[in-house]
Amino acid sequence: MPTSPLSSAQAARKAVATRLQGLMKDAGLSGHELAIRCGWHRAKSSRIARGITPPSDADIRAWCIACGAEDQAADIIAASRNAESMYVEWKQIHKDGMRRVHEKTVPLYQRTRAFRVYASNVMPGMLQTAGYATGLLKTITAFQGTPDDVADAVKARLDRSRVVREGDHRFALLLEETVLYYRVCDDEAMGEQLEHLLTVMKRPNVSLGIIPRRASRTVWPLEAFYAFDDQQVAVETLTAEINLTAPGEIRTYLRAFTELSQSAVRGEPARDLIREALAALG
């Protein structure tokens, strides 16, 4: 079963730090000597070597030159960029608002043929209605303290969601039953969202499963994750998005998805759960 995706991001950062440490040792330099050659305070080289401070591209180039290993800079820079792209804080992603991140991920959504999505907290983005998305994104904006471009972000999210209706895309979606009750918008918008679920379930390219609260399960509730074909898994935590591309980790998440699927109901039993949630709105 999945370990914390954060551990994978930390391991990737540590691997970069270890490579830099190795270059320093091979050159016979101490951290203090390397810092002098780079024109840094010695604390900087120590923090980079211990994996505390992620190095910039310029830092890596300076480090490699100081160690007489300039030919290795490009490879280490690529590894560092990959490590940093694995773990990106939401505040960084949303520093200019949310619209751009939706637009930026359109190519990923368009080239993905098979989506496998597990949602334990909110509706999957590609299924959200305008009212539901507005309530949710307003809450996220307020919590993160990032620029408010909710109206534009909602439009961008809905535009990205056209993949559900257009092109050759298949969607296997799993929702915990509690997602049907979490109020991230007003009752009217929540009702529209639940009605939309009933509609989208009719699409031939969509398989929607709901895991009942009382279901017997072999996998505990996890943080929401999105699998794009067999190439990438995006895990959503409170503070960051973690993107996993290692084949072993992807296989682990897909295995978790398969086992979670066994606890889900579909078809009329799933519709009954949605209708119960609608009735609870009063």
Side-chain angles (χ1 to χ4, degrees), residues 7 17 105 118 191 229 236 245:
S7 64
T105 52
Y118 167 73
D229 291 321
E236 298 183 341
T245 56

Side-chain angles (χ1 to χ4, degrees), residues 16 19 56-58 60-61 72-82:
V16 170
R19 290 184 67 178
S56 66
D57 292 359
I60 293 172
R61 292 191 188 95
Q72 296 192 44
D75 187 40
I76 298 176
I77 286 171
S80 179
R81 288 179 178 177
N82 180 62

Side-chain angles (χ1 to χ4, degrees), residues 6-24 47-55 60 63-64 72 75-84 86:
L6 178 56
S7 64
S8 300
Q10 290 172 332
R13 284 181 172 179
K14 182 62 177 177
V16 170
T18 299
R19 290 184 67 178
L20 293 174
Q21 263 190 325
L23 292 182
M24 184 176 67
R47 292 178 65 84
I48 290 176
R50 288 183 291 156
I52 297 173
T53 299
I60 293 172
W63 190 294
C64 290
Q72 296 192 44
D75 187 40
I76 298 176
I77 286 171
S80 179
R81 288 179 178 177
N82 180 62
E84 291 311 301
M86 287 179 66

